[in-house]
Amino acid sequence: MTAQSEPGFEPSGLAADATSGDDLRTRLREAGFRLTPQRRLVLQAVVDLGHSTPEEICAQVQRTADGVNASTVYRTLDVLEQIGLVRHTHLGHGAPTYHAADDANHVHLVCEGCGVVIDAPVGVADPLVGTLRDAYAFELDVQHFAIYGTCAECAGGR
Amino acid sequence: MTAQSEPGFEPSGLAADATSGDDLRTRLREAGFRLTPQRRLVLQAVVDLGHSTPEEICAQVQRTADGVNASTVYRTLDVLEQIGLVRHTHLGHGAPTYHAADDANHVHLVCEGCGVVIDAPVGVADPLVGTLRDAYAFELDVQHFAIYGTCAECAGGR
DNA sequence: CTTACTGCAAATATTTTGCATTTGG
DNA sequence: CCAAATGCAAAATATTTGCAGTAAG
């Protein structure tokens, strides 16, 4: 039920910067927001979890620290999304899934069978991007892009 | 906020059959279900509306007849989906969107700006289908496929 | 007749909101 | 200090479930 290609911890230091304090503080202040411990914790949780629902983020944050109220988590995710550090995708079922914006260079392949989320490089969608642009003047948002289907495991007898 | 290519009423008589009673009754009975007026009404609403949320289906059904309870609508959508007459897609925001299975030969292009849903033939996804199959053994479910992006209107200055 | 189906109301689950208190800058 | 952010509890939504009465076959 979790990602195969585990980002987990910052691929190349990008995510680390976001949470180290500096970048986060700057970004927040530019938009008129303040830096609070809760916001740092929530961003850290999003980065660490890779893909996660608000509920999972709540749980993760409770665990890691004094606890952040659920409503604060929701409000914080909004703020972090506004300043572009976090993005969300609808993977289907119920809740939206959040991930660090830095970690967005992939599309999500969601298996309808087992729910696994496979990350594929954005490049796989290039042909489709071209087709849609040409035929419909539709600009595909590859980041916010969830693709449904069946993974090898679930397709093969197993 | 509605589809551009309006299916609305049965493209080639296919959908008509589904609601005319015969096919619906047969399909239901084969799976051990009964034919009820409510089920006919809900299916009719799904066919007529093209894409619709449970809420919209409720509204449509109330209007057309004596009224069907919301919980019955939810239960009926499940049943209709089980017997393959209806399918649902997650278009993002909140509620899932239902449509007649017959009406499924297209992918949904969802504009993040204005929310419009454009129907494109499944063919547009063929290159992607091939790529994913080859590279990930991932079998794309083109039917259950919602694609996010920005439509011409919202992209162009307007 | 028998069993499935429906309506209703209560239960869940999820996200939002109002407000008093706390706190960042 | 002052505005913004938090926590909490209540509200708003959306969907599910238990149950007794109704109806399909």
Side-chain angles (χ1 to χ4, degrees):
Chain A
M1 196 63 174
T2 341
Q4 287 192 339
S5 56
E6 263 291 338
F9 295 88
E10 53 289 346
S12 58
L14 292 173
D17 285 64
T19 40
S20 67
D22 255 7
D23 189 29
L24 176 56
R25 169 175 236 114
T26 308
R27 298 265 218 146
L28 284 168
R29 304 244 68 218
E30 279 169 358
F33 295 115
R34 292 177 181 174
L35 175 61
T36 66
Q38 289 88 342
R39 287 178 176 166
R40 218 193 299 260
L41 286 171
V42 170
L43 178 55
Q44 187 63 56
V46 171
V47 170
D48 289 352
L49 291 172
H51 308 101
S52 49
T53 61
E55 209 184 344
E56 294 166 333
I57 294 166
C58 280
Q60 170 80 358
V61 170
Q62 311 304 351
R63 184 177 317 133
T64 314
D66 326 64
V68 177
N69 188 283
S71 35
T72 301
V73 170
Y74 283 103
R75 286 185 285 221
T76 299
L77 287 171
D78 280 351
V79 168
L80 294 179
E81 194 155 28
Q82 279 179 51
I83 63 176
L85 288 180
V86 160
R87 298 217 52 181
H88 79 272
T89 306
H90 299 275
L91 260 36
H93 17 53
T97 302
Y98 288 80
H99 55 89
D102 299 342
D103 184 34
N105 303 333
H106 56 258
V107 296
H108 304 110
L109 308 181
V110 182
C111 176
E112 298 181 320
C114 61
V116 69
V117 179
I118 303 171
D119 293 339
V122 294
V124 302
D126 284 350
L128 182 59
V129 171
T131 305
L132 295 180
R133 183 178 297 140
D134 295 348
Y136 297 89
F138 187 86
E139 229 19 82
L140 212 178
D141 176 3
V142 215
Q143 313 236 40
H144 196 103
F145 192 17
I147 304 181
Y148 290 85
T150 309
C151 72
E153 307 263 307
C154 291
R158 222 242 254 184
Chain B
M1 195 65 173
T2 340
Q4 287 192 339
S5 55
E6 261 292 336
F9 296 88
E10 54 288 348
S12 58
L14 291 173
D17 286 64
T19 40
S20 66
D22 255 8
D23 188 29
L24 176 56
R25 170 176 237 114
T26 309
R27 299 265 218 143
L28 283 168
R29 305 243 67 220
E30 278 169 359
F33 295 115
R34 293 176 180 176
L35 176 61
T36 67
Q38 289 87 344
R39 286 177 177 168
R40 219 192 297 261
L41 286 170
V42 170
L43 177 55
Q44 187 63 56
V46 171
V47 170
D48 290 353
L49 291 173
H51 308 99
S52 49
T53 61
E55 208 185 346
E56 294 167 333
I57 293 166
C58 280
Q60 171 81 355
V61 170
Q62 310 303 352
R63 185 176 316 134
T64 314
D66 324 65
V68 177
N69 188 284
S71 34
T72 302
V73 170
Y74 282 103
R75 285 185 286 221
T76 300
L77 287 172
D78 280 350
V79 169
L80 294 178
E81 194 155 29
Q82 279 180 51
I83 64 176
L85 289 179
V86 160
R87 298 215 53 182
H88 79 271
T89 306
H90 299 276
L91 261 36
H93 18 53
T97 302
Y98 289 80
H99 56 88
D102 299 342
D103 183 33
N105 303 333
H106 56 259
V107 295
H108 303 110
L109 308 182
V110 182
C111 176
E112 298 181 319
C114 62
V116 69
V117 179
I118 303 172
D119 293 340
V122 293
V124 302
D126 284 350
L128 182 59
V129 171
T131 305
L132 295 180
R133 183 178 296 140
D134 296 348
Y136 298 89
F138 187 86
E139 224 26 76
L140 211 177
D141 176 2
V142 214
Q143 313 235 41
H144 197 102
F145 193 17
I147 304 180
Y148 290 84
T150 309
C151 73
E153 307 263 307
C154 291
R158 221 240 256 189

